[in-house]
Amino acid sequence: MTLDKAQAAQALADIDQSQRYSSSLYSYGRSAPYLVIAGLMWLVADLLLQFSPFDKTWTWPVVSLIGTAAFFGVAIRQTRPESRARSPAHRGLFWRIVVVWLAVLAFMVATFAIYGLQDGRQQHSFIGVFFGCLYVAVGVFMGWRMVAVGVALAVLSMVGFFAVHEYYLAYMGVVGGGAMILSGLWLRRV
Amino acid sequence: MSGPDEIIHQSTRLKLMAALRGLPQGEMIEFTRLKAMLKATDGNLGAHLTALEKPGYIEVAKDFVGKKPRTRVAITKAGRTAFDDHVAYLREIIDG
């Protein structure tokens, strides 16, 4: 079998397309559970804050703790010994995820402290916009679906901040959290 | 210039190997996901997997998740080498 330049070019184009597609799908599949967990955290916490008649002081800290435990649970599952043994890429992955998560938390706390963002609306919208931009940045390398999720999240957060007043928390919970849950499910699709 | 790998070069198998090569080393992909990616039928994909398994280019693992059977596929070290050699051959043709 001999190939000419056109056939070789076509084969290389097919290879490039298939590799990029499978690589994106792999990353999507890995990211999806984290998006669903974050969306659930957001949805539950904000609906409780909006509608619960009970003391709301501990709502976000408790939801954050449960969510963080779930994040680490998924991370441990994704980096179980079987995976590490097969794939060098998974070695040390759990600790990298932990460090990234702690860095994000530290950034949030530092930003709130420096800018004095005490108002819940400001904090909520800032977190939404921050994660939206983060997803866009990650999506530039991972794939367009992540970019779409990021843009939706950032835009919905800004719309909430400027246009929604009485039911702001319910809006952020349903729209922001719901968008993340749907995005996570969408990322899992082929 | 080395020759083309005739097992790999067939259109569907080329895309299949490229998809597997795009994953981190040792990572497996489910049959159903692969089938959707390649827009292949069960029988068609099964035949191509058998063709690639024979020379040891891929490994196929079958197990159960609960009561559901699951088939996963991964590229082997020999498969990575053969695929990389084939890509190098294609690039040599382009470069003249």
Side-chain angles (χ1 to χ4, degrees):
Chain A
M1 178 170 66
T2 51
L3 302 173
D4 59 30
K5 277 194 178 188
Q7 289 171 315
Q10 182 58 51
L12 285 172
D14 286 346
I15 287 169
D16 185 50
Q17 192 184 25
S18 296
Q19 277 187 327
R20 274 193 284 118
Y21 188 43
S22 81
S23 180
S24 289
L25 285 183
Y26 174 79
S27 303
Y28 289 156
R30 291 258 150 184
S31 316
Y34 298 104
L35 273 177
V36 172
I37 291 169
L40 281 171
M41 286 166 66
W42 201 346
L43 179 70
V44 169
D46 279 358
L47 288 180
L48 282 173
L49 285 172
Q50 181 80 60
F51 297 113
S52 171
F54 305 110
D55 180 19
K56 297 161 185 172
T57 315
W58 292 96
T59 303
W60 260 112
V62 169
V63 170
S64 299
L65 273 179
I66 295 170
T68 302
F71 266 53
F72 289 162
V74 171
I76 288 169
R77 199 161 160 261
Q78 287 186 347
T79 59
R80 59 191 182 277
E82 174 199 317
S83 299
R84 285 199 301 276
R86 291 183 56 82
S87 172
H90 288 167
R91 288 179 201 136
L93 183 61
F94 173 74
W95 291 109
R96 285 200 288 266
I97 291 170
V98 170
V99 170
V100 168
W101 181 240
L102 291 176
V104 168
L105 280 181
F107 176 78
M108 290 295 171
V109 172
T111 305
F112 293 163
I114 291 168
Y115 290 104
L117 300 182
Q118 299 296 329
D119 176 50
R121 284 172 64 91
Q122 288 178 319
Q123 290 183 350
H124 262 74
S125 298
F126 177 79
I127 290 171
V129 171
F130 171 77
F131 275 101
C133 293
L134 193 65
Y135 291 151
V136 170
V138 172
V140 168
F141 298 96
M142 192 191 279
W144 70 272
R145 287 190 205 179
M146 208 72 183
V147 174
V149 171
V151 170
L153 200 54
V155 169
L156 290 171
S157 299
M158 291 301 285
V159 168
F161 185 75
F162 287 109
V164 183
H165 298 284
E166 193 179 352
Y167 289 101
Y168 171 77
L169 288 171
Y171 166 87
M172 288 302 281
V174 171
V175 174
M180 287 183 89
I181 294 168
L182 288 176
S183 302
L185 298 176
W186 179 44
L187 289 189
R188 289 183 63 85
R189 290 173 62 92
V190 174
Chain B
M1 184 190 287
S2 58
D5 188 314
E6 298 200 15
I7 297 168
I8 290 177
H9 190 70
Q10 191 278 338
S11 174
T12 305
R13 289 199 287 271
L14 185 73
K15 288 176 188 165
L16 200 162
M17 287 294 282
L20 294 175
R21 186 70 177 86
L23 300 174
Q25 192 183 333
E27 198 61 41
M28 303 194 101
I29 186 167
E30 287 194 27
F31 182 92
T32 47
R33 198 155 251 244
L34 207 48
K35 191 177 81 170
M37 278 170 64
L38 298 169
K39 296 180 177 65
T41 61
D42 281 2
N44 188 247
L45 181 57
H48 287 304
L49 290 179
T50 304
L52 290 167
E53 201 179 7
K54 266 185 197 164
Y57 289 172
I58 60 165
E59 59 173 308
V60 179
K62 295 183 181 189
D63 60 3
F64 283 86
V65 179
K67 287 180 180 173
K68 265 180 89 175
R70 177 176 67 166
T71 301
R72 290 180 300 160
V73 184
I75 193 169
T76 61
K77 199 177 169 191
R80 291 171 89 88
T81 306
F83 180 78
D84 291 348
D85 287 347
H86 186 68
V87 171
Y89 166 74
L90 295 172
R91 292 216 170 100
E92 280 177 36
I93 293 175
I94 301 284
D95 295 340

